[in-house]
Amino acid sequence: MNFQWTDQAAACPIIELHDIRTEKFRSEKYLTLVEDRLTGPFLAAGGHALGEFRVDNHPDRLLVLRGYPSMPARRRTLAAFHAGKDWTQSRAEAAALTRDAQTLLLRTVRPSEGVRSIRAGERLSALISEVRFPEQIGNYHLWLRLLLRKAGMDPFAAFATLEAVNDVPAVPVVRHRCFHVALVRGHEKTPELPPEMRNMLRYTPEILGLEPAMSLVW
């Protein structure tokens, strides 16, 4: 099966997924900091805040999605964002609230037609899979989408690791690992993967129930 990446002209083809574990009972404080002190300057610098999510059954875990129209735009946006007068203080405050964090640098697989809106507060599920080899990502995406579509759970957005040099050292990203992330609406039980798909993965997919902490636009 052949797979073509989303056209570079599509809105926000470059995605950062920030997987954050806050200190105990500090997730709401972290969200307040993001919304009050970080999101405005990030948007002013040219970035796209695609959403912040609470994770069901993990009260100290948050997922944050940010988008960019291209890698050069990401570099310019983050350079302007980090040059802001309040960035140093805000970064220190965020670090004090954070126990652990990792960032995945991803590229949009779906939707290829561009952005659209979803209802604010709509509950979602994320399926996070680590593929053994990058060349398997296209087949995995197509087979997973077919499997979920048959179950009435066609992903409305999907991302995969972007195999590119991270040219913003101030935002370290996970390297030498290949991830696929699918977002579906609701919290329905996902079907079991057939052996052919399980063999493509290093581990069993992580399935997370998500509650948007702010509006998400696709």
Side-chain angles (χ1 to χ4, degrees), residues 88-133:
T88 300
Q89 180 181 347
S90 297
R91 179 177 59 179
E93 292 178 10
L97 298 170
T98 303
R99 175 168 50 87
D100 187 31
Q102 69 173 11
T103 300
L104 302 183
L105 183 59
L106 307 168
R107 180 160 184 174
T108 301
V109 180
R110 170 177 170 84
S112 60
E113 69 275 11
V115 299
R116 62 180 185 269
S117 298
I118 70 168
R119 293 183 296 273
E122 184 175 21
R123 295 174 70 79
L124 310 172
S125 294
L127 286 75
I128 304 176
S129 309
E130 185 175 356
V131 179
R132 291 181 182 273
F133 304 107

Side-chain angles (χ1 to χ4, degrees), residues 3-203:
F3 177 76
Q4 297 294 324
W5 288 114
T6 299
D7 189 284
Q8 188 68 20
C12 292
I14 307 301
I15 302 293
E16 290 174 357
L17 189 155
H18 300 264
D19 189 349
I20 299 156
R21 274 79 165 181
T22 68
E23 297 290 355
K24 196 170 184 180
F25 306 127
R26 306 299 284 169
S27 62
E28 293 303 318
K29 179 68 174 177
Y30 187 96
L31 285 171
T32 299
L33 174 66
V34 168
E35 294 179 8
D36 291 351
R37 298 276 298 279
L38 298 177
T39 299
F42 176 72
L43 295 175
H48 299 266
L50 301 179
E52 289 105 35
F53 303 89
R54 302 178 182 88
V55 179
D56 284 359
N57 302 316
H58 297 275
D60 302 316
R61 186 175 181 182
L62 303 167
L63 296 185
V64 176
L65 283 175
R66 291 176 171 173
Y68 309 89
S70 67
M71 285 293 283
R74 175 177 179 263
R75 182 175 63 251
R76 292 191 300 270
T77 295
L78 292 176
F81 178 46
H82 295 158
K85 61 183 180 65
D86 296 326
W87 166 244
T88 300
Q89 180 181 347
S90 297
R91 179 177 59 179
E93 292 178 10
L97 298 170
T98 303
R99 175 168 50 87
D100 187 31
Q102 69 173 11
T103 300
L104 302 183
L105 183 59
L106 307 168
R107 180 160 184 174
T108 301
V109 180
R110 170 177 170 84
S112 60
E113 69 275 11
V115 299
R116 62 180 185 269
S117 298
I118 70 168
R119 293 183 296 273
E122 184 175 21
R123 295 174 70 79
L124 310 172
S125 294
L127 286 75
I128 304 176
S129 309
E130 185 175 356
V131 179
R132 291 181 182 273
F133 304 107
E135 58 268 25
Q136 295 176 315
I137 197 73
N139 283 349
Y140 181 78
H141 168 73
L142 293 174
W143 292 344
L144 179 64
R145 186 179 177 192
L146 178 61
L147 181 71
L148 294 176
R149 180 185 289 176
K150 287 182 177 179
M153 303 172 63
D154 193 14
F156 71 89
F159 320 104
T161 294
L162 176 61
E163 299 294 330
V165 174
N166 177 30
D167 55 2
V168 185
V171 183
V173 301
V174 173
R175 300 180 61 202
H176 309 306
R177 298 170 69 185
C178 186
F179 289 91
H180 181 277
V181 180
L183 296 181
V184 300
R185 302 182 192 279
H187 286 186
E188 299 297 325
K189 181 177 175 59
T190 58
E192 184 176 352
L193 298 184
E196 296 82 0
M197 293 185 67
R198 292 200 302 270
N199 290 339
M200 292 182 179
L201 304 180
R202 293 186 180 275
Y203 310 103

